[in-house]
Amino acid sequence: MKICIYGAGAIGGYLGVQLARAGADVSLVARGAHLAAMRERGLTLLAGEETHTVHPRCTDDAAELGVQDYVIVTLKAHSITGVIEKMQPLLGPHTRIVTAVNGIPYWYFHKHGGAYEGSTLESIDPGGRQWREIGAERAIGCIVYPATEIEAPGVIRHVYGNNFPLGEPSGDITADVQRLADLFVATGLKAPVLDRIRDEIWLKLWGNVCFNPISALTHATLDVICTDPATRALSRAIMVETQAIAETFGVKFRVDVERRIEGARKVGAHKTSMLQDLERGRPMEIDPLVTVVQEMGRLTKIPTPALDSVLAMVTQRARIAGLYDGVSTPSDPRALAVA
């Protein structure tokens, strides 16, 4: 079983170490100082009191690796379109693409059923390129719950969590998804195979859609956002709007809004990924976490006034910092509140 991790940063590096330790034939696509360090000294994982170093194949040129059984995409979602052509040498007739990314994935309406079957979403897949050129039919969904960080080039620190739920867009428990889940479990990870993967995607997105942009605007950690009356109320308003949209598409939430907010509060003084990106001068995941929910609201004709306001502010904040190159522009009707 040949596995390529495309975008071997913090999460990709964590998976790479775990898979390599389990004896999988794993390759990593990375770049820059991180890649140079991995080539020279291997890839090291710091997990509690344990340290593990592995020496998988590492490259910045996927053409060196050949066709894979699985390509696990751990890039930031807004970066995927830019590497579609570079990914092509990895793709054979039976290759599966595992989308271990935040937010709504490009394949969302593949085997969805209903009026939107086969639709693409411009905010996450401009021009439908991922759908056509990577292939929605290749996709396996994956939700990333662990927190990891690159402590130094070639060194990954595991902070918490080891859960990677998996699922086919169709809901079927296929041999492909089960084989991948079994491998994850063999490495010590949790990888439940879900027959309703979209429910789990929205459950995680439910927090990201509000906590991420609010944190980028306020520089507050999760405990503060969920405790301060004003930011808690704003988070709740965005989550209520998001829930209405998701339920229109048949999504079922297994917890209510207050429980979801309380779960985030209990994480403590954690900086969201969007705040971390802002502080480090990296492009923020605004479109896959926020704009896409607005776009899906437009499809369902559900007003999103709270989300619209926060999205407009965080987009402007990112533009001022030079950290936004997404699809929403001042002339874009998606950036306007519904009357």
Side-chain angles (χ1 to χ4, degrees), residues 120-174:
T120 60
L121 293 160
E122 189 67 17
S123 54
I124 57 168
D125 186 15
R129 287 193 60 202
Q130 293 178 53
W131 183 287
R132 294 193 312 274
E133 298 174 42
I134 298 176
E137 72 283 353
R138 298 182 189 275
I140 292 175
C142 177
I143 296 93
V144 176
Y145 281 116
T148 59
E149 57 189 33
I150 298 179
E151 183 154 299
V155 180
I156 307 297
R157 179 171 293 279
H158 176 251
V159 181
Y160 65 82
N162 66 345
N163 192 21
F164 292 86
L166 301 168
E168 294 276 6
S170 65
D172 296 333
I173 311 299
T174 64

Side-chain angles (χ1 to χ4, degrees), residues 143-214:
I143 296 93
V144 176
Y145 281 116
T148 59
E149 57 189 33
I150 298 179
E151 183 154 299
V155 180
I156 307 297
R157 179 171 293 279
H158 176 251
V159 181
Y160 65 82
N162 66 345
N163 192 21
F164 292 86
L166 301 168
E168 294 276 6
S170 65
D172 296 333
I173 311 299
T174 64
D176 283 348
V177 73
Q178 191 62 61
R179 184 166 61 143
L180 183 64
D182 291 345
L183 177 60
F184 274 32
V185 170
T187 72
L189 303 173
K190 295 179 181 177
V193 178
L194 307 180
D195 60 2
R196 293 181 60 89
I197 191 67
R198 293 177 183 83
D199 290 359
E200 199 73 14
I201 289 171
W202 280 96
L203 184 63
K204 184 178 182 186
L205 178 60
W206 209 15
N208 285 338
V209 69
C210 57
F211 302 138
N212 271 269
I214 290 172

Side-chain angles (χ1 to χ4, degrees), residues 3-20 26-30 34 38 43 45 54 56 72-76 100 144 146 148-150 156 164 184 189:
I3 300 175
C4 173
I5 297 176
Y6 204 109
I11 286 293
Y14 172 59
L15 280 173
V17 172
Q18 298 294 73
L19 290 168
V26 60
S27 303
L28 309 181
V29 176
H34 188 51
M38 289 192 292
L43 176 59
L45 173 65
V54 298
I72 304 176
V73 180
T74 52
L75 295 166
K76 292 293 182 73
V144 176
T148 59
E149 57 189 33
I150 298 179
I156 307 297
F164 292 86
F184 274 32
L189 303 173

